[in-house]
Amino acid sequence: MKVLVPVKRVIDYNVKVRVKSDGSGVDLANVKMSMNPFDEIAVEEAIRLKEAGKAEEVVAVSIGVKQSQETLRTALAMGADRAILIVAADDVHTDIEPLAVAKILKAVIDEEAPGLVLCGKQAIDNDMNATGQMLAALTGWSQGTFASELDIEGDSATVTREVDGGLQTIKIKMPAIVSVDLRLNEPRYASLPNIMKAKKKPLDEKTAADYGVDTAPRLEIVKTSEPETRKAGEIVGSVDELVAKLKEAGAL
Amino acid sequence: MQFGPTEEQQMIVDTVRRFVETEIYPHEAEVERTGEVPAELAEAIKSKCIETGFYACNFPEEVGGAGLSHLEFALVERELGRGSMALTHFFGRPQNILMACEGEQRERYLLPAVRGERMDALAMTEPGAGSDVRGMTCSAVRDGGDWVLNGTKHFISGAEHADFIIVFVATGEDDTPRGKKKRITTFLVDRGTPGFTIRDGYNSVSHRGYKNMILDFDNCRLPDAQVLGEVDGGFAVMNEWLYATRITVATMSVGRARRVFDMALAQAAEREQFGQPIGKFQGVGFQIADMITEIDAADWLTLAAAWRLDQGLPANREIASAKLYSSEMLARVTDAALQIFGGMGLMDDLPIERFWRDARVERIWDGTSEIQRHIISRDLLRPLGA
């Protein structure tokens, strides 16, 4: 079985996000970028499937600016076998919307014929949480979202889903699209030998036009703003004082 | 000329940075408080480092290392420099001097050290012999076919965890036109060798948990097989290999300075006094400007010295400059950062005071600033006959 893992280049989770002064989005110039953490979990899971003998090949794919190549190299350094870069934007501030990404991925699936797509449940930049689901709709494949456990046996997969208030276990038919959640695994560090090998692994470069997909945005971003700053708290001396303050604030 | 890492080098930097942030940072406060590294934690760091193939990455591939260039290894150590030395010690980097091992010494010392099975430490300094290495009184004399060692070494970092120590001792004296000169030989001494004991050293304000130990040799008997390199060839061994520790100090100083700087920068941008961020006051803003300028200068100076080693160019003076400037830069940067944090910077609720204390030793160990200046000036003046 071949596993396809879409990975997105996003602002690094350690970077303090700054909104552009005109409110048109987040400033990404000269900011550290890295692989979407949920996608890292997906890459890790794919590599584990390969190590367990349940997958033969792990193919990472990224859609975005040319620099997404670095993100793919990271996937290769973690242990993916090869990578496909689909250049769909010149400007780092151009975000390709989930539907366009899903359409391109559908075309990649038609070409590559994987038995499983493992993707992050969402990217930490826009938190859309849509690509996996849209891809399942376009392909007509089964979908298992928010996976915290995945077990593949023959032509079916058991997926434990993190749903509101608990876990739900479902059994789905392969091929499938599985979107992964935080607790599925702990991604490994790229090993030094794999880092050195990453450059020798194949990385194909294509464009969105090669797949005939129009990536023009369908959504208009009206405004981006900083979250409201938290107001300073207050330290109280006793439970009585706390109760009094809560009453004062109308919370009790 | 090319100023910038390759894709692989950037990945190395990113991976080590993440390792330090994830595996080292969370444990620093505890190590600082107790002055100890719990054995399980040390083992966990070490085994993760072995797993990822970074252990002994400064060694060539033919002995099981990763074969990184000096430049690449400098990038690794720069990122390690961000973390507590007590903990990054277990991100194993055996002394490259072990490459001098020959014959069965390779099986007993070099290869197990590279595999992470045996840890090493280096012992040169004595209470009466710091910068003046030839002033050492720790000695070995012939007795039958063996050597008998007597004397004391102190300030021996890493000895606490070492399975064997690389020890420099005097093995004779020559009369030279400039007076008597000690001959020095390098020995490999296993922990547990009769007549050899390792005990706790002093409490240092710098790098708590990265202990300095005292070694005592009391009629410690060693066969010829324990000599590393040639008998009386200790200086040759030192000159060939000991440059590495100076680059280590330089790179780690740069890494730590960058960590401190990021905190100081955030503080300058966020801390408000007199109704505005303190960074808006030139007194603080200019301080920030000077800090980053010096950090970048030290970074490039150090990487350039490592690059020269890779090119096979003479690098002794450049390494001395890198060690001198980076360690002194770190002192200025940590001091300025502390000033930006004000009173809170001195409290152990924040790591700033620790960085400030840790910085002090960098100007002393592995060749004081004065010794580095001596190396640099001698390198320039001696060819001119001065």
Side-chain angles (χ1 to χ4, degrees):
Chain A
M1 182 180 68
K2 186 193 283 184
V3 184
L4 188 72
V5 189
V7 296
K8 185 175 184 184
R9 182 175 188 267
V10 298
I11 193 161
D12 188 84
Y13 65 96
N14 275 319
V15 171
K16 200 171 168 220
V17 172
R18 270 189 340 149
V19 172
K20 284 198 277 188
S21 52
D22 62 0
S24 64
V26 167
D27 193 359
L28 296 177
N30 296 318
V31 171
K32 186 174 192 298
M33 305 290 281
S34 45
M35 192 191 300
N36 175 37
F38 290 110
D39 300 347
E40 248 180 281
I41 295 169
V43 173
E44 173 67 32
E45 195 64 15
I47 298 165
R48 287 187 191 186
L49 284 173
K50 190 180 168 187
E51 286 168 349
K54 293 188 173 178
E56 281 84 49
E57 193 183 26
V58 178
V59 182
V61 56
S62 192
I63 299 159
V65 291
K66 199 170 163 80
Q67 293 93 312
S68 302
Q69 178 173 322
E70 294 159 18
T71 314
L72 288 170
R73 292 276 180 222
T74 306
L76 294 172
M78 285 175 73
D81 297 296
R82 61 189 176 87
I84 306 167
L85 169 67
I86 298 158
V87 179
D90 301 325
D91 180 359
V92 290
H93 290 98
T94 310
D95 194 51
I96 315 295
E97 290 173 6
L99 183 59
V101 172
K103 283 180 179 172
I104 295 172
L105 289 176
K106 162 76 168 65
V108 174
I109 287 173
D110 290 343
E111 246 176 42
E112 292 283 338
L116 172 70
V117 176
L118 274 172
C119 57
K121 68 165 180 177
Q122 66 195 50
I124 60 166
D125 47 6
N126 291 334
D127 280 352
M128 296 293 248
N129 184 357
T131 303
Q133 294 87 330
M134 286 178 172
L135 184 58
L138 291 174
T139 52
W141 288 10
S142 325
Q143 75 172 22
T145 51
F146 316 132
S148 64
E149 258 181 79
L150 172 65
D151 187 25
I152 293 168
E153 280 305 330
D155 61 355
S156 71
T158 308
V159 180
T160 303
R161 305 180 61 233
E162 299 217 343
V163 293
D164 280 350
L167 299 173
Q168 180 192 50
T169 305
I170 57 171
K171 196 167 177 184
I172 54 177
K173 258 179 60 187
M174 300 288 278
I177 316 284
V178 175
S179 82
V180 308
D181 215 324
L182 195 64
R183 277 159 285 271
L184 180 62
N185 61 46
E186 220 173 282
R188 70 192 62 194
Y189 296 101
S191 76
L192 190 47
N194 273 336
I195 289 174
M196 294 314 208
K197 267 188 273 176
K199 196 139 193 199
K200 294 184 195 105
K201 291 182 180 175
L203 192 155
D204 286 340
E205 197 180 316
K206 308 217 165 154
T207 65
D210 292 344
Y211 296 100
V213 175
D214 173 17
T215 58
R218 285 164 164 75
L219 305 172
E220 187 195 342
I221 293 173
V222 182
K223 192 181 154 198
T224 308
S225 56
E226 298 262 1
E228 215 174 300
T229 40
R230 272 178 56 185
K231 298 207 173 64
E234 196 180 332
I235 294 173
V236 292
S238 68
V239 175
D240 288 345
E241 199 186 332
L242 174 67
V243 172
K245 290 268 180 199
L246 287 173
K247 279 185 178 158
E248 210 176 285
L252 280 181
Chain B
M1 244 184 226
Q2 204 192 332
F3 291 90
T6 63
E7 264 183 53
E8 286 94 342
Q9 289 165 351
Q10 187 58 50
M11 262 194 272
I12 290 172
V13 168
D14 290 345
T15 305
V16 179
R17 169 88 58 93
R18 189 167 134 195
F19 190 99
V20 172
E21 286 173 352
T22 317
E23 312 294 339
I24 308 289
Y25 284 8
H27 306 290
E28 287 180 341
E30 185 66 5
V31 168
E32 193 61 21
R33 195 178 61 77
T34 59
E36 301 280 342
V37 179
E40 323 77 75
L41 178 59
E43 204 42 55
I45 294 170
K46 199 167 146 188
S47 64
K48 276 183 188 148
C49 183
I50 293 170
E51 236 169 71
T52 52
F54 274 96
Y55 201 93
C57 60
N58 51 329
F59 277 74
E61 282 169 299
E62 63 262 27
V63 298
L68 292 191
S69 66
H70 286 97
L71 180 69
E72 286 158 348
F73 185 57
L75 294 174
V76 170
E77 291 206 302
R78 190 181 70 187
E79 297 312 314
L80 290 177
R82 292 175 164 262
S84 145
M85 279 198 77
L87 293 164
T88 56
H89 177 64
F90 299 97
F91 193 104
R93 292 150 290 145
Q95 301 284 344
N96 64 351
I97 205 168
L98 288 171
M99 284 303 289
C101 282
E102 278 176 7
E104 59 122 38
Q105 286 176 346
R106 288 168 63 93
E107 299 297 329
R108 289 173 58 207
Y109 299 100
L110 169 63
L111 301 178
V114 171
R115 288 194 295 262
E117 292 161 8
R118 304 190 77 193
M119 290 191 87
D120 61 300
L122 194 77
M124 197 170 321
T125 307
E126 297 179 10
S131 294
D132 178 15
V133 176
R134 281 193 203 263
M136 66 173 61
T137 54
C138 198
S139 68
V141 293
R142 276 288 188 196
D143 183 59
D146 293 339
W147 294 93
V148 176
L149 270 66
N150 278 291
T152 296
K153 296 279 176 190
H154 78 167
F155 292 166
I156 310 308
S157 311
E160 183 195 6
H161 304 285
D163 298 289
F164 67 93
I165 319 267
I166 304 152
V167 190
F168 291 84
V169 297
T171 39
E173 223 170 36
D174 289 322
D175 281 315
T176 75
R178 286 158 62 198
K180 287 192 187 303
K181 220 172 170 184
K182 292 241 167 78
R183 292 197 301 264
I184 289 173
T185 302
T186 317
F187 288 89
L188 295 157
V189 188
D190 290 303
R191 178 185 281 270
T193 304
F196 170 46
T197 48
I198 302 174
R199 61 187 160 104
D200 271 347
Y202 322 87
N203 288 321
S204 169
V205 297
S206 295
H207 300 301
R208 280 185 196 150
Y210 186 62
K211 293 187 184 174
N212 63 83
M213 307 297 279
I214 297 173
L215 315 184
D216 295 308
F217 297 93
D218 179 13
N219 287 321
C220 174
R221 186 171 283 273
L222 298 172
D224 266 332
Q226 300 308 110
V227 174
L228 181 64
E230 301 289 320
V231 171
D232 296 335
F235 265 99
V237 175
M238 271 184 226
N239 288 336
E240 192 175 350
W241 299 105
L242 284 192
Y243 63 84
T245 63
R246 289 186 284 146
I247 296 201
T248 294
V249 174
T251 53
M252 294 185 91
S253 293
V254 171
R256 206 164 318 125
R258 291 212 183 273
R259 181 175 177 194
V260 178
F261 177 77
D262 289 346
M263 296 181 75
L265 180 66
Q267 177 76 356
E270 284 159 23
R271 164 86 168 167
E272 290 196 6
Q273 289 288 275
F274 304 102
Q276 61 176 11
I278 56 173
K280 279 205 172 171
F281 295 104
Q282 275 192 349
V284 175
F286 282 13
Q287 191 76 263
I288 293 282
D290 288 345
M291 288 161 86
I292 195 65
T293 304
E294 286 201 44
I295 294 170
D296 283 349
D299 203 350
W300 288 118
L301 190 60
T302 305
L303 294 178
W307 176 86
R308 287 183 71 87
L309 282 173
D310 289 331
Q311 303 304 312
L313 296 167
N316 196 35
R317 198 260 294 166
E318 286 79 359
I319 292 170
S321 290
K323 198 277 179 187
L324 168 68
Y325 187 76
S326 301
S327 59
E328 300 207 337
M329 171 281 291
L330 181 63
R332 291 188 290 270
V333 165
T334 50
D335 190 73
L338 205 153
Q339 194 69 16
I340 289 170
F341 273 84
M344 230 19 238
L346 283 168
M347 305 302 138
D348 65 4
D349 297 75
L350 295 175
I352 304 293
E353 58 88 28
R354 163 159 64 92
F355 299 137
W356 180 62
R357 280 187 285 110
D358 287 352
R360 192 60 188 87
V361 74
E362 310 298 348
R363 287 187 276 161
I364 297 172
W365 63 11
D366 295 286
T368 59
S369 285
E370 291 71 24
I371 287 292
Q372 305 307 326
R373 287 190 169 93
H374 168 73
I375 293 171
I376 297 163
S377 59
R378 192 187 50 181
D379 188 88
L380 294 170
L381 290 165
R382 202 180 260 179
L384 306 178

